Structures are given as C-alpha cells and as structure tokens.
Amino acid sequence: MKILRSYLGIKLFLSYFVVILVGMLVIGITTKIVTPRAFARHLLAMESQIGSGQGMGQGQGMMGQGGGMMSEFYQNFQATFTESLLIAVAAASLVALVVSLVFSRSILAPVVVMMNASQRIAEGHYDERVQLQGTDELNQLAGSFNKMAEQLEQVENMRRRLLGDVAHELRTPLTAIKGSAEGLMDGVLPASDETYQQIHAEAERLSRLVDDLQELSRVESRAIQLDVHPVDAAMLIQTVAKRLQYQFDEKRIKLTLDLPAQPIHILADDGRAIQVLTNLVGNALQYTSENGTVLVSARQEKEEAVFSIKDNGVGIPAEHLLHIFDRFYRVDKSRSRAHGGSGIGLTIAKHLVEAHGGKLWVESEGKNKGSVFSFTLPLAK
C-alpha cells in the first residue's frame, strides 16, 4: 500500500489493470447468465417449428433432412452466442467506463486543484496553497507548487518592502535638502559655508544611495562582468588594509592581518574582491568601539580560500543573523543612515561573492560579543 501511494506510474498501471479485470469479469458473468436463457429461447422457437409439421411422413421427412435441421440448430446457437456476447460487451463497456471515470477523476483531481490555484496566483493571490494527500509524484508536484507560491509571495512582499524602503531612504536626504533650501530662502539659515556643506553632504548621501541601488540592481540581475584571473589573496588583504588604515588609526582601533605563510592564489576579479573586503572590513570598523580590534585573515580549505573578518564590536543578536544580508535591513533600527550607510552594502557583497562561485556568511555569539564575517572564493588551478 505504501508503494502504491508513492508512485503515480503504479497507480495508473493498476487502474488500467483493474479496468481490464473488471471488464473481463463482467463479460464472463453476463455471458454465463444470458447465454442459457437466450439458447433456451431459440431452442423453443426451433421446437415449435418442428411440432408444426403435418403427419408422420412429414416428420420422417424432417428426420431425413437432419443435416438441414442441424444446420439451423447451429445457426440458432450462433445467434444465441452473438446475442449474449453483444449484451456482455455492452455491459462490460458501461462498467469499464464508470470504473475508468472514477479512477481518472481521482488521479486528475490534484491536477485540477493545482490549475485552479495557479489561476488564483496569476490574479495576485499569492497566499494560495494546495493541500497534500500523499507522497506520489503528483503530491510531490503539489509540494513544489506550494514552495513556488511561497517564494512568489516572499518576492512580492520584498518588492513592496523595497519600494517602501527606497521611498523612505530617498525622502530622508531630500527632506534635509528641501528644509535647508527653504531656510535659506526665508532667511532662517545663514548663507554660510556650513549651510552649503550640509546641503552638499545630503546631496552626496543621495548620490551614494542611487549608486548603491544601481549596483544592487546589476549584481542581482547578474549583469556585472567579472574579469576573473589568478590573484594573490594576501595582496587583496594588504590593499584593503592600506586604504582603511587611516580610518582605523583615527578611531583608535587596531587592525591586525593574519596572512598565510604560503601564497594562496584565488580565481577572482581583483577589483570586485577588494570591493567585498572593503565593505566587510569597513563594516567591522563602523561597528567596533574605540580601542577595539579587527582581525583579517585568509586560509586555504580544500579547493577554496576562506577570508574572515573578526571584530570585538557590538555583535549581532541571534534573531537578526538570518536577515543581516537583506536589503536595507538594520539591527539597530534607531541608527541613522548618515552613520549606518545605505543598508545594502552587505547585500551587494553577498551577490558579488556568489557571482564568483563562493558563499558569504556571518557568525556572532550575541550582542556586544563581536562578529565574524567569512566568505569563500575558488582557488586558481
């Protein structure tokens, strides 16, 4: 019974086999019931013809024509059998039609349900689901259908949230620029260098956000072109360290490099790899307090190089780890964009790493316990 529920092919075979068996059974039973009655009726008709003969001489004549009488008898028997067979075939066809209809409905019912559900999803009802009633191929298809519907619902929710987030992110600098401009026109704000610098800073924030959105759109649609070639992993780390060393010194945070003893050559676009490292190291710098430490390391594991950026900063609570790479997601909702970036840098970094064939993840023991961002890139062969 478990095998029967698990494979649609067996169901179809058994359904047809049952139809054949039922048809044969109906033919046998019907023939057995109908044939004697039909034969008796035809035999009585023949006997009535024999009994209507006149005189002994005619009877003897009929006996003398035994061959003709037997021929007629055979014809009547053949007619009897033909009649029985036709009735049996008709009855078997009717029963087989009913049985086939029952089986076909039971097999096609999930398909009809999925068809109706797909139409509702096409109309925008992304919460539509199909109930599972077994483990055969059709129910596996229904499970895949439900998973697809769930993903479509998530994509739609993300789209709506993205539109709201983008509108909010654009509104913040625009409001600041508009307020400063109105203050200048009304004479509330002085036409000083400080005022103009504030307006320029907000315009820069707006420009960076637009650039980040364009970059995110390209990496998510896989429209970026990677110039992949062998690159030394240590060189990438040293390049990023030189670029950010001044900011680490300014914030009084110690930047430590743990470079491999033997060269590790990876297959990557060095510009994009530096972009990922800069984003992650800069993120560690941003969320590490004064006198903290940030450790950047690289090591080889099988066919991959593993880069790690470890800090002893604010850390990430467990409930936020799964969403840390989502667009505009922020652990600290109260932190302003001026101090927290656009909120999509980690998302861009994740897509860039995946475009190289690697993966990016984060680990943290909780709030104020630091975090470790790690990603892999394939080794050059």
Side-chain angles (χ1 to χ4, degrees):
M1 184 61 67
K2 185 177 181 180
I3 296 178
L4 178 61
R5 293 180 178 178
S6 301
Y7 297 97
L8 179 61
I10 296 179
K11 281 186 176 181
L12 291 173
F13 172 79
L14 290 180
S15 66
Y16 296 143
F17 187 70
V18 168
V19 169
I20 294 174
L21 288 180
V22 171
M24 293 174 62
L25 181 62
V26 171
I27 290 176
I29 295 175
T30 306
T31 303
K32 187 174 181 180
I33 295 175
V34 175
T35 299
R37 296 179 181 178
F39 180 78
R41 187 172 64 252
H42 287 283
L43 187 59
L44 288 175
M46 188 180 69
E47 289 177 351
S48 63
Q49 292 178 2
I50 295 174
S52 63
Q54 297 179 358
M56 183 65 67
Q58 186 176 358
Q60 292 176 350
M62 292 184 64
M63 293 297 294
Q65 298 177 352
M69 185 175 62
M70 291 303 296
S71 177
E72 185 178 352
F73 179 81
Y74 176 77
Q75 291 177 0
N76 281 276
F77 175 79
Q78 190 177 29
T80 300
F81 180 77
T82 302
E83 181 181 345
S84 302
L85 184 61
L86 290 175
I87 296 175
V89 169
S93 300
L94 179 61
V95 174
L97 179 63
V98 174
V99 174
S100 300
L101 183 61
V102 172
F103 272 99
S104 62
R105 283 186 175 180
S106 64
I107 294 175
L108 293 178
V111 178
V112 175
V113 171
M114 282 187 286
M115 181 183 67
N116 295 333
S118 64
Q119 291 177 351
R120 288 186 55 81
I121 290 177
E123 295 171 357
H125 302 281
Y126 296 103
D127 57 342
E128 189 73 19
R129 298 293 184 272
V130 177
Q131 292 184 354
L132 304 180
Q133 298 178 348
T135 58
D136 59 18
E137 286 85 346
L138 279 178
N139 282 278
Q140 292 175 12
L141 176 61
S144 299
F145 180 89
N146 288 339
K147 185 176 181 181
M148 178 196 69
E150 182 179 355
Q151 292 177 345
L152 286 175
E153 185 178 15
Q154 292 176 355
V155 169
E156 177 63 16
N157 292 335
M158 289 177 61
R159 184 188 67 83
R160 294 174 180 174
R161 188 170 67 248
L162 176 61
L163 291 176
D165 289 340
V166 170
H168 174 73
E169 299 301 325
L170 293 176
R171 186 184 299 113
T172 301
L174 285 175
T175 300
I177 294 173
K178 181 180 178 181
S180 298
E182 291 176 350
L184 287 172
M185 290 186 296
D186 296 338
V188 177
L189 293 177
S192 61
D193 292 341
E194 182 180 358
T195 302
Y196 292 126
Q197 287 176 357
Q198 291 178 352
I199 296 177
H200 183 267
E202 293 299 330
E204 282 291 330
R205 286 179 55 198
L206 186 60
S207 177
R208 287 196 303 269
L209 176 60
V210 173
D211 292 340
D212 287 343
L213 288 173
Q214 289 179 337
E215 180 76 2
L216 178 62
S217 176
R218 286 195 295 268
V219 297
E220 285 190 330
S221 62
R222 300 182 182 275
I224 57 174
Q225 299 293 329
L226 297 178
D227 181 16
V228 178
H229 56 274
V231 181
D232 184 13
M235 183 273 293
L236 297 177
I237 295 177
Q238 291 171 340
T239 300
V240 174
K242 290 179 181 179
R243 291 183 180 180
L244 299 179
Q245 187 63 58
Y246 175 78
Q247 299 179 34
F248 274 88
D249 294 339
E250 188 178 33
K251 198 174 178 181
R252 297 180 182 177
I253 296 176
K254 183 179 180 181
L255 176 61
T256 304
L257 306 183
D258 183 10
L259 302 179
Q262 299 295 330
I264 300 178
H265 293 93
I266 60 174
L267 200 61
D269 183 324
D270 53 349
R272 294 298 186 177
I274 289 175
Q275 180 181 352
V276 173
L277 272 171
T278 302
N279 186 294
L280 297 179
V281 176
N283 188 74
L285 169 66
Q286 184 174 349
Y287 292 102
T288 301
S289 303
E290 185 176 344
N291 298 322
T293 60
V294 174
L295 173 64
V296 183
S297 62
R299 65 184 185 276
Q300 179 177 340
E301 288 188 1
K302 297 181 180 180
E303 300 297 323
E304 295 178 323
V306 181
F307 295 82
S308 296
I309 299 89
K310 181 179 181 180
D311 64 70
N312 59 353
V314 297
I316 304 171
E319 64 270 18
H320 297 288
L321 289 176
L322 294 177
H323 305 285
I324 198 68
F325 297 107
D326 293 350
R327 309 183 194 96
F328 299 110
Y329 190 83
R330 305 182 66 78
V331 176
D332 186 359
K333 305 297 182 183
S334 62
R335 187 181 292 269
S336 67
R337 296 300 183 191
H339 299 89
S342 65
I344 57 179
L346 291 178
T347 309
I348 295 175
K350 183 175 185 292
H351 284 286
L352 287 175
V353 170
E354 291 176 349
H356 283 83
K359 60 181 179 179
L360 170 63
W361 69 95
V362 61
E363 299 170 296
S364 179
E365 296 182 359
K367 189 175 182 180
N368 298 323
K369 293 185 178 180
S371 58
V372 181
F373 283 84
S374 303
F375 67 94
T376 63
L377 291 176
L379 294 178
K381 298 181 180 179

